[in-house]
């Protein structure tokens, strides 16, 4: 037996590599299987002269161990590659999951809509870019009304043809609902509205409204009052009171402004309600017969009421947010305060 064969095999064993289980098994069979190279050397061992048997015996055993060890190493390497490839490094520390929070305006919008859905209203939406007719004309705004002025409204086209504009209120969706000609109507219309205002703690050029419209035979002001009262009690608590103050809107007659009893001081007077015990939440009124007529509904047969509220305003009252700008800046410290509101 030649010592150099053992040396050469030993060197090859150190360099062995394998990518699959099968390749490792092939290596094992080639070296240590019944007809393997090392097994063959053991067979040959019988022919070694007696005085060399001890030395060769030791060297063969070492070689066999080297082969066995290398095969084990290859198996371990392959197993660890497999788990790394499947992303399962169980020794890695876990990632902290940062959960997002719903925006307070979305939360409030959904809450308003879900209250009215419970009362049997459906939800309608409409375009933000509108024409004069849907925002003003069909809602009984006289031609000289200040809302039709560049100072208050963002117009899309030029000054000589003020026809396309960003809607200033969601009342335009009332018009789009009425012109479909399906009666009775019971809808709430959420949406974003735009007004040419300087941004401050109490005003913004973009905000959100929810509008309501109810048209049927024999709808009275008492029905409007009840719809507003039930909403206020669902939104601000069962002991909430309302009061209606006479007001003016071109599209309703009579019109009113709705106040709720201050839910902070329970009507005693605090700095949120400025000592009055009341907080204004929405405008409302009986749909003006001119509006019904303009939208193809016969006012001698049908009557209805409408109401409109600012979502930011309702959210401010609910959570005592003092500065409207918080809603638009998306400062996560502010937004995270709402992460526990479901
Ligand atoms: N459109 C009014 C606004 O933007 C809100 C409003 C008031 C809507 C009275 C109505 C209503 O439907 O009846 O200020």
């Amino acid at each position: 037996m030649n010592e150099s064969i053992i040396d050469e095999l030993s060197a090859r064993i150190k360099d062995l590599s394998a990518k699959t289980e099968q390749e490792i098994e092939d290596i094992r069979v080639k070296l240590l299987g019944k007809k393997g190279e090392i097994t063959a050397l053991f067979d040959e061992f019988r022919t070694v002269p007696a005085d060399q048997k001890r030395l060769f015996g030791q060297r063969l055993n070492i070689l066999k161990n080297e082969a066995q060890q290398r095969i084990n190493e290859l198996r371990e390497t392959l197993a660890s590659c497999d788990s790394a490839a499947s992303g399962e490094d169980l020794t890695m520390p876990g990632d902290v999951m940062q959960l997002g929070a719903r925006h307070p305006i979305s939360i409030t919008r959904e809450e308003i809509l879900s209250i009215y859905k419970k009362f049997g209203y459906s939800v309608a939406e409409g375009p933000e870019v509108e024409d004069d007719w849907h925002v003003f004309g069909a809602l009984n705004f006289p031609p000289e009304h200040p809302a039709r002025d560049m100072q208050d409204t963002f117009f899309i086209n030029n000054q000589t043809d003020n026809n396309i504009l960003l809607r200033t209120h969601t009342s335009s969706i009332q018009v789009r609902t009425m012109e479909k000609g399906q009666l009775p109507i019971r809808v709430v219309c959420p949406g974003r509205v735009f007004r040419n205002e300087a941004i401050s703690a109490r005003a913004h050029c973009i905000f959100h409204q929810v509008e309501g419209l109810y048209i049927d035979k024999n709808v009275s002001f008492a029905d409007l009052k009840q719809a507003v009262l039930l909403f206020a009690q669902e939104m601000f608590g069962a002991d909430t009171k309302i009061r209606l103050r006479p007001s003016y809107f071109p599209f309703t007659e009579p019109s009113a402004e709705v106040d709720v009893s201050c839910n902070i001081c329970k009507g005693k007077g605090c700095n949120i309600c400025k000592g009055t015990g009341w907080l204004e939440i929405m405008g409302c009124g009986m749909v003006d017969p001119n509006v019904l007529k303009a939208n193809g509904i016969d006012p001698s047969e049908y009557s209805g009421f409408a109401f409109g509220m600012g979502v930011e305003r309702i959210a401010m009252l609910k959570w005592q947010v003092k500065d409207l700008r918080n809603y638009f800046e998306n400062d996560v410290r502010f937004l995270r305060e709402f992460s526990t509101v479901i």
Side-chain angles (χ1 to χ4, degrees):
M1 180 183 280
N2 192 333
E3 265 191 65
S4 66
I5 298 179
I6 296 179
D7 289 339
E8 187 232 329
L9 252 174
S10 172
R12 258 172 53 205
I13 286 169
K14 286 198 185 77
D15 286 344
L16 283 173
S17 66
K19 288 195 203 69
T20 61
E21 287 281 352
Q22 188 55 50
E23 281 179 24
I24 298 173
E25 180 58 11
D26 291 348
I27 288 169
R28 191 193 67 76
V29 171
K30 192 155 179 286
L31 293 175
L32 301 168
K34 266 190 191 160
K35 292 180 183 160
E37 288 174 76
I38 295 174
T39 317
L41 288 178
F42 273 97
D43 290 343
E44 228 178 285
F45 179 69
R46 284 188 227 115
T47 64
V48 170
D51 59 338
Q52 293 172 25
K53 267 206 155 71
R54 204 174 115 90
L55 179 70
F56 271 104
Q58 277 174 353
R59 294 225 45 198
L60 273 182
N61 277 328
I62 291 169
L63 186 69
K64 190 179 167 187
N65 285 341
E66 281 173 355
Q68 195 58 60
Q69 203 180 333
R70 184 70 194 135
I71 288 167
N72 289 345
E73 279 169 14
L74 290 176
R75 286 203 174 115
E76 277 167 28
T77 312
L78 189 69
S80 70
C81 285
D82 274 358
S83 64
S86 62
E88 290 169 30
D89 182 350
L90 299 179
T91 64
M92 291 274 283
D95 286 337
V96 179
M97 283 250 275
Q98 284 280 6
L99 279 185
R102 286 166 70 218
H103 194 281
I105 296 303
S106 305
I107 297 171
T108 312
R109 175 189 185 273
E110 287 313 309
E111 193 171 347
I112 298 168
L113 295 182
S114 75
I115 291 171
Y116 279 105
K117 279 194 247 178
K118 254 195 305 197
F119 297 162
Y121 287 67
S122 55
V123 178
E125 292 187 67
E128 292 178 345
V129 178
E130 267 290 9
D131 52 38
D132 180 283
W133 172 253
H134 289 92
V135 177
F136 302 127
L139 289 163
N140 199 35
F141 278 76
E144 71 283 3
H145 195 283
R148 286 188 143 135
D149 197 278
M150 299 282 289
Q151 242 80 56
D152 296 292
T153 300
F154 291 112
F155 288 91
I156 303 283
N157 48 4
N158 65 36
Q159 241 168 323
T160 51
D161 181 20
N162 287 343
N163 188 33
I164 303 298
L165 46 93
L166 295 180
R167 67 179 176 201
T168 56
H169 54 185
T170 43
S171 308
S172 52
I173 311 173
Q174 281 190 26
V175 179
R176 291 197 173 272
T177 308
M178 286 187 280
E179 70 191 7
K180 286 199 184 118
Q182 285 164 2
L183 291 161
I185 292 171
R186 204 183 295 170
V187 284
V188 268
C189 318
R192 197 156 55 149
V193 300
F194 308 84
R195 287 186 198 175
N196 197 354
E197 303 230 21
I199 296 171
S200 72
R202 300 181 63 84
H204 208 285
C205 54
I206 303 175
F207 56 101
H208 301 79
Q209 289 187 331
V210 174
E211 177 95 12
L213 179 66
Y214 191 118
I215 297 181
D216 204 343
K217 290 179 179 159
N218 302 318
V219 178
S220 73
F221 201 90
D223 297 321
L224 165 60
K225 208 175 153 191
Q226 190 65 13
V228 170
L229 175 66
L230 289 177
F231 167 75
Q233 292 181 336
E234 288 278 328
M235 193 76 197
F236 296 104
D239 54 354
T240 304
K241 295 185 185 59
I242 59 163
R243 85 177 174 185
L244 302 185
R245 282 178 291 107
S247 185
Y248 172 78
F249 301 103
F251 35 90
T252 45
E253 182 59 36
S255 306
E257 215 88 60
V258 181
D259 294 345
V260 291
S261 51
C262 178
N263 58 340
I264 313 298
C265 63
K266 302 285 168 216
K268 286 194 200 77
C270 65
N271 67 337
I272 300 291
C273 60
K274 302 206 186 70
T276 63
W278 296 97
L279 300 161
E280 185 188 319
I281 58 158
M282 65 166 96
C284 67
M286 299 306 290
V287 181
D288 193 302
N290 285 341
V291 172
L292 294 175
K293 262 188 257 164
N295 291 287
I297 298 171
D298 181 356
S300 64
E301 203 183 340
Y302 284 94
S303 57
F305 62 76
F307 54 86
M309 69 191 97
V311 180
E312 281 78 1
R313 169 112 189 121
I314 303 283
M316 277 174 122
L317 298 178
K318 221 172 150 63
W319 290 298
Q320 291 143 58
V321 177
K322 301 249 165 53
D323 192 325
L324 193 65
R325 288 169 292 197
N326 282 320
Y327 292 130
F328 302 97
E329 280 163 4
N330 282 336
D331 183 330
V332 288
R333 290 168 301 181
F334 172 74
L335 297 178
R336 278 208 194 110
E337 290 188 36
F338 301 90
S339 59
T340 53
V341 184
I342 303 166

